[in-house]
Amino acid sequence: MEIPFKTLLDIKKDSSLPVYVQIANEIIKNIQSGILKKGTKLLSSRQMAELLALHRKTVVAAYDELYSQGWIEIFPKKGTFIAQHLPNVKPVQLSKQDFEAKSKDDFSMNFTKNTLVKIPPIITQRLAFNDGLPDVRLAPRDELARLYAHYIKFGEPSVLQYTSVYGALRLREVFAKVLNETRGMNTSPEQIITTRGSQMAIYLVGLALFEKGDEVIVGDLNYPATNMTFATLGAKLNTIPIDEEGIVVDAIEEICRQKSIKAIYVTSHHYHPTTVTLTPERRIKLLALAEKYRFYILEDDYDYDFHYANRPVLPLASADRHGLVVYIGSFTKKIAPTFRVGYVVAKQEIIEELAKLRRIIDRQGDTILELSLADMLENGTLKRHAAKVLKIYRERRDFTCDLLKKELGDVINFKVPDGGMAIWAKFDKDISLIELAPKLIKNGLYISDGAAYPTENACRIGFASMNFKETEDAVKILKNGIL
């Protein structure tokens, strides 16, 4: 009897699942249901391709997949047949007693539980006043996809092999040139290592520089993930005040006179969380103190490219003449959070130590992504993209600030930020962010509960990731939740 393969195989050419996988899955399904029995002869790849109006290579790939899984047998000059001994794919069913026994099993491994680290929430709400994230809809996805596909299809075999633990050399060469030309730095590829985002960079730097008990200075309001990282590594955190000009540098010397300080962490351009920029005068004094007391400055320049008032102030690293500044950054805010490429720029001996530590936890980065980013830096794609979104984000900042002042100016206090992607918003003392945030989330709007800054009753309100209509909807929900 002739088997109606065209009817049996439900192939959807508009599906995201590759056609050859669909063919294989459909044949497996018909074997499992008993329609295609052991020993049944299949059409040749050419006949099946003609029947399904597909390229023969697609059918060959499907048959290869079935053969590798043991569903079919291929006999030269005879044909392709359903295997006589099919794979055993029946799942093992656990009884109710098995589940109860597992739940009562109180055995646990002897390990230390980290009570310092908090796992961040996954934001699923369409509307979100997040920490300050880019609008991923604006990302240069077409160009990135084109370059990524090019390297996969036509790149030298070496790009698919293990490469340098320091990161793709070409990206480090191109990026060193960009840093020197745009940020006044004097660096070389040997002074750069790539990481999977700035968080990995912060961890590696802390791991390399700190010993348990080392004294480190941070702002009394600071990026929470950094505090968690340093504390987990055994560092002792000393806090200093933050005001409208950034960290209060005079407070650093008071601590240095009493303790041996290993490092200070600073987000000098748009301080996290308050968004203020460290003034030139304080930058000069901070560098002088680092030289005098011999401590490192860990400069996290997470959103250098997004400054609206005027040209960005050059990073501290541009004025460092003694190798005391460790410069940390990321391409995440420029493109999208899923593209995990960060970097550390420091004197070569530090970079070499970071490479050793990186080798333990991550053999290398995404070489193809790094090569694609190198191309985008070189051909101007990232520069054009940054200029485009800078204009859009400035407009969104102004729109969001105006709307918040108009609708909620009596209960939310903030300063219009000169840069970055978030507003530092302080709420009226009669409004509990801890109670408000869950209520807003139920109504479709994410906002932080401010738990990271318990003394402030404040949070960061990201404005970059939503368009005008979405921001209007978000503010409406926020207003209804408050009033």
Side-chain angles (χ1 to χ4, degrees):
M1 182 181 70
E2 186 176 339
I3 299 173
F5 285 104
K6 191 168 185 178
T7 304
L8 291 177
L9 307 183
D10 182 19
I11 306 302
K12 296 179 175 61
K13 294 183 179 179
D14 59 346
S15 171
S16 60
L17 196 66
V19 173
Y20 83 92
V21 176
Q22 293 185 56
I23 295 172
N25 289 346
E26 287 293 302
I27 290 176
I28 293 170
K29 182 177 72 175
N30 282 283
I31 294 172
Q32 291 174 326
S33 66
I35 295 174
L36 295 178
K37 302 184 183 303
K38 297 177 182 180
T40 300
K41 186 176 182 179
L42 299 180
L43 296 178
S44 70
S45 59
R46 190 180 303 280
Q47 291 170 324
M48 187 71 82
E50 291 176 357
L51 181 69
L52 301 178
L54 298 171
H55 196 286
R56 184 178 171 226
K57 288 183 178 180
T58 302
V59 178
V60 170
Y63 282 4
D64 286 345
E65 182 69 20
L66 290 166
Y67 180 75
S68 68
Q69 293 186 35
W71 293 102
I72 63 174
E73 297 173 316
I74 301 173
F75 299 100
K77 298 183 180 180
K78 289 185 178 181
T80 302
F81 300 83
I82 304 301
Q84 290 292 340
H85 302 285
L86 297 173
N88 183 9
V89 293
K90 292 182 180 179
V92 177
Q93 297 292 332
L94 289 177
S95 67
K96 183 179 180 182
Q97 290 78 12
D98 292 328
F99 280 115
E100 290 176 351
K102 283 180 175 291
S103 65
K104 292 177 181 177
D105 186 358
D106 60 359
F107 174 78
S108 63
M109 298 295 291
N110 182 20
F111 63 92
T112 302
K113 295 182 179 180
N114 191 318
T115 59
L116 298 170
V117 176
K118 309 298 180 187
I119 304 298
I122 303 299
I123 301 174
T124 59
Q125 289 72 24
R126 181 179 66 87
L127 306 176
F129 283 133
N130 51 48
D131 191 61
L133 301 177
D135 188 339
V136 297
R137 296 168 295 189
L138 302 176
R141 295 163 69 175
D142 289 344
E143 177 66 2
L144 188 55
R146 183 187 70 79
L147 289 168
Y148 205 96
H150 168 80
Y151 280 108
I152 288 179
K153 291 179 179 179
F154 308 112
E156 293 292 328
S158 60
V159 305
L160 301 178
Q161 297 282 4
Y162 283 122
T163 56
S164 173
V165 72
Y166 292 91
L169 176 59
R170 184 154 172 276
L171 174 60
R172 290 184 289 123
E173 289 175 338
V174 173
F175 192 49
K177 184 178 179 182
V178 169
L179 290 174
N180 294 340
E181 291 178 351
T182 65
R183 305 189 192 184
M185 296 172 67
N186 182 25
T187 192
S188 67
E190 293 74 28
Q191 294 173 278
I192 300 174
I193 186 172
T194 66
T195 60
R196 293 196 187 260
S198 59
Q199 180 56 46
M200 180 179 176
I202 293 168
Y203 177 73
L204 286 177
V205 169
L207 195 59
L209 298 186
F210 304 156
E211 295 180 2
K212 189 173 182 179
D214 276 348
E215 305 283 351
V216 179
I217 295 176
V218 298
D220 56 6
L221 295 175
N222 194 46
Y223 182 44
T226 296
N227 288 1
M228 288 189 295
T229 302
F230 291 172
T232 296
L233 293 172
K236 294 182 179 179
L237 304 185
N238 299 267
T239 60
I240 57 174
I242 307 295
D243 63 17
E244 293 302 307
E245 296 183 350
I247 57 171
V248 178
V249 176
D250 288 341
I252 297 173
E253 189 157 22
E254 295 176 18
I255 297 175
C256 287
R257 290 194 185 108
Q258 302 170 31
K259 302 177 181 181
S260 176
I261 297 300
K262 190 63 171 288
I264 178 172
Y265 172 85
V266 60
T267 46
S268 57
H269 206 60
H270 305 126
Y271 196 84
H272 196 291
T274 65
T275 77
V276 299
T277 301
L278 187 64
T279 61
E281 293 78 14
R282 290 191 180 183
R283 289 169 185 253
I284 293 170
K285 187 165 187 179
L286 176 56
L287 286 166
L289 287 174
E291 183 179 353
K292 178 179 179 180
Y293 291 100
R294 308 305 295 173
F295 60 77
Y296 287 104
I297 299 172
L298 312 185
E299 182 178 19
D300 186 353
D301 212 359
Y302 64 98
D303 59 0
Y304 175 86
D305 295 289
F306 301 104
H307 199 72
Y308 311 118
N310 45 48
R311 287 184 61 83
V313 179
L314 291 177
L316 288 161
S318 68
D320 178 29
R321 297 294 178 265
H322 303 281
L324 297 174
V325 177
V326 178
Y327 189 67
I328 298 167
S330 168
F331 289 93
T332 292
K333 295 293 179 71
K334 213 169 193 178
I335 306 176
T338 195
F339 300 113
R340 309 301 299 164
V341 179
Y343 52 84
V344 180
V345 184
K347 57 185 179 181
Q348 192 169 343
E349 62 182 314
I350 291 178
I351 296 298
E352 289 172 356
E353 193 61 29
L354 295 182
K356 296 174 189 175
L357 296 171
R358 195 255 178 87
R359 172 65 181 85
I360 298 172
I361 63 173
D362 185 26
R363 173 62 178 79
Q364 64 184 65
D366 184 336
T367 301
I368 295 178
L369 177 57
E370 291 182 5
L371 291 173
S372 299
L373 288 177
D375 283 355
M376 294 171 74
L377 283 169
E378 220 168 31
N379 66 25
T381 297
L382 283 185
K383 183 178 181 180
R384 290 189 297 273
H385 172 69
K388 170 189 169 184
V389 296
L390 183 68
K391 179 177 181 296
I392 293 172
Y393 294 160
R394 182 192 292 116
E395 292 170 349
R396 291 181 180 181
R397 177 203 63 173
D398 295 343
F399 182 82
T400 305
C401 289
D402 290 344
L403 194 60
L404 286 173
K405 285 179 179 178
K406 176 183 175 184
E407 300 295 336
L408 293 163
D410 293 338
V411 292
I412 298 179
N413 182 42
F414 62 89
K415 178 185 176 184
V416 178
D418 289 335
M421 300 183 188
I423 298 160
W424 175 239
K426 293 187 176 183
F427 287 70
D428 187 274
K429 59 181 175 55
D430 293 328
I431 299 170
S432 169
L433 265 177
I434 294 288
E435 296 175 2
L436 176 64
K439 183 165 65 172
L440 296 178
I441 287 173
K442 286 183 180 179
N443 292 325
L445 171 65
Y446 172 84
I447 191 171
S448 168
D449 63 6
Y453 316 106
T455 62
E456 300 297 310
N457 197 35
C459 69
R460 283 165 62 90
I461 291 181
F463 55 79
S465 61
M466 293 189 291
N467 59 33
F468 291 168
K469 176 62 169 62
E470 290 165 339
T471 300
E472 286 179 338
D473 293 343
V475 171
K476 183 177 180 180
I477 294 172
L478 177 58
K479 183 177 180 180
N480 289 338
I482 291 176
L483 304 179

